[in-house]
């Protein structure tokens, strides 16, 4: 599984967890079977674009980021990102005619061929004919199975287990390190500008981060616990149209995690939300600037 496919699968598993639906329930609500969803969520098959959209719809989440991840993963899966082979050089040895294979002068070839050499030529011709038929049959065989599974990417060691814990997660990407699968939401908050902030926590990774959406270009969100502050700025319209995540910060049970939102206007009011790891999730709808 490629790195790009890994990130897509992590995002899909997070969306599926947000739906609260079993594989059978997903099959009932979409055009895709239970076995298909199992392949998509385990990374054994690349889902169709529509399946990603359907999962976002069921999770009631924006589809911008998952579709962007799908585009990247699909381009690697299909091989469209592979560099084209360079054309053969005119002086390439493989393209030069072999003088030994040039036909003999007319009227002399058959007289010069001995009995054993004639048999070799006939055997070679037979091999070429049989090989050509085999290739033709292969090309004409139905490819429904190939269309279903698609070309297999090169084998890459992969596990759905988190790739870091505690201090090792500090300042790192929660999605790339597989900490974004089935996280806890410590707090949800809606800012005065309409942006949404969630404090996320992975017990398996021992780390927290902030997720934000509904933003504007130039907005910023920071997250901190007992260590460094990690922030992310909304850089462009693609960021503004989808989820954006801060890097992770190490937390322990009982730690207080705090996220602060600073809107793009220079005189915009800073708004913060905090939660304690291990307590029930909270939801704030009225802005509480700090």
């Amino acid at each position: 599984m490629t790195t790009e496919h890994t990130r897509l699968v992590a995002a899909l598993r997070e969306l599926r967890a947000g739906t609260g639906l079993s594989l059978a329930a997903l099959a009932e609500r979409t055009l895709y079977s239970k076995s298909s969803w199992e392949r998509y969520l385990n990374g054994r098959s690349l889902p169709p674009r529509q399946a990603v959209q359907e999962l976002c719809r069921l999770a009631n989440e924006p589809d911008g980021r998952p579709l962007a991840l799908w585009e990247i993963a699909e381009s690697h899966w299909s091989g469209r990102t592979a560099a084209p082979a360079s054309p053969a050089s005119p002086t390439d040895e493989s393209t030069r005619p072999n003088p030994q294979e040039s036909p003999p002068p007319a009227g002399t070839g058959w007289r010069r061929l001995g009995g054993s050499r004639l048999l070799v030529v006939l055997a070679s011709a037979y091999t070429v004919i049989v090989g050509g038929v085999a290739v033709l049959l292969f090309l004409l065989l139905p490819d429904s199975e190939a269309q279903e599974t698609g070309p297999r990417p090169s084998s890459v060691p992969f596990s759905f287990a988190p790739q870091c814990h505690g201090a090792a997660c500090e300042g790192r990407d929660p999605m790339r390190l597989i900490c974004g699968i089935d996280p806890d939401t410590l707090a949800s908050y809606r800012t005065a500008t309409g942006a949404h902030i969630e404090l996320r926590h992975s017990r398996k990774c021992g780390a927290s981060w902030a997720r934000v959406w509904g933003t504007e270009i130039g907005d910023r969100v920071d997250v901190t616990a007992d260590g460094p502050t990690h922030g992310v700025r909304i850089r462009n319209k693609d960021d503004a149209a989808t989820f954006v995540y801060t890097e992770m910060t190490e937390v322990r049970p009982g730690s207080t995690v705090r996220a602060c939102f600073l809107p793009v206007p220079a005189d915009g009011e800073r708004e913060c939300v905090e939660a304690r790891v291990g307590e029930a999730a909270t939801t704030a709808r009225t802005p509480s600037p700090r």
Side-chain angles (χ1 to χ4, degrees):
M1 185 183 297
T2 63
T3 301
E4 293 75 14
H5 194 186
T6 298
R7 297 188 69 182
L8 172 63
V9 169
L12 295 180
R13 288 173 67 91
E14 182 178 6
L15 287 168
R16 182 267 176 112
T19 68
L21 299 175
S22 65
L23 295 179
L26 283 178
E28 292 176 357
R29 290 165 172 79
T30 65
L31 301 174
Y32 307 96
S33 66
K34 177 182 176 181
S35 60
S36 294
W37 279 116
E38 183 177 11
R39 291 196 304 275
Y40 303 155
L41 296 171
N42 286 333
R44 295 200 301 270
S45 180
L46 187 73
R49 191 175 192 276
Q50 186 178 353
V52 178
Q53 291 176 306
E54 286 292 293
L55 191 58
C56 292
R57 178 183 61 81
L58 292 172
N60 195 28
E61 299 283 12
D63 63 8
R65 182 176 184 276
L67 289 179
L69 291 175
W70 180 88
E71 292 285 352
I72 297 172
E74 193 276 337
S75 66
H76 284 77
W77 183 279
S78 64
R80 288 189 286 112
T81 58
S86 58
S89 170
T91 59
D92 192 334
E93 291 294 332
S94 63
T95 62
R96 291 179 179 175
N98 189 339
Q100 296 179 357
E101 296 177 358
S102 57
T108 62
W110 287 103
R111 292 196 299 272
R112 293 174 59 185
L113 288 175
S116 59
R117 191 172 180 185
L118 178 59
L119 290 176
V120 171
V121 172
L122 292 175
S124 299
Y126 176 80
T127 302
V128 171
I129 293 172
V130 172
V133 172
V135 172
L136 182 60
L137 289 175
F138 176 80
L139 294 175
L140 293 177
L141 284 175
D143 58 353
S144 58
E145 181 63 23
Q147 293 175 354
E148 169 66 21
T149 60
R152 292 291 182 181
S154 57
S155 177
V156 177
F158 177 74
S159 170
F160 282 112
Q163 303 297 299
C164 67
H165 186 271
C169 296
E170 190 72 50
R172 304 183 72 182
D173 187 334
M175 303 305 293
R176 183 178 293 275
L177 276 295
I178 322 298
C179 294
I181 296 179
D182 299 334
D184 296 323
T185 299
L186 302 179
S188 299
Y189 180 76
R190 183 174 181 180
T191 71
T193 63
H196 294 264
I197 304 172
E198 286 183 344
L199 280 173
R200 310 282 267 179
H201 172 65
S202 170
R203 286 170 286 181
K204 293 181 179 179
C205 291
S208 292
W209 62 94
R211 179 173 78 163
V212 61
W213 71 96
T215 53
E216 297 181 7
I217 298 174
D219 290 349
R220 179 180 177 86
V221 63
D222 297 317
V223 66
T224 186
D226 301 323
T229 297
H230 301 290
V232 64
R233 186 175 297 279
I234 309 304
R235 300 166 299 174
N236 50 48
K237 63 181 182 180
D238 292 332
D239 284 352
T242 185
F243 296 123
V244 175
Y245 302 80
T246 68
E247 296 167 333
M248 291 184 283
T249 183
E250 178 189 11
V251 297
R252 297 177 177 85
S255 296
T256 297
V257 187
R258 188 183 193 195
C260 291
F261 176 80
L262 183 64
V264 60
D267 58 348
E269 192 170 16
R270 187 167 178 256
E271 302 175 50
C272 297
V273 61
E274 63 182 33
R276 188 178 297 275
V277 176
E279 294 184 351
T282 60
T283 301
R285 296 186 180 277
T286 304
S288 55
R290 300 188 183 183

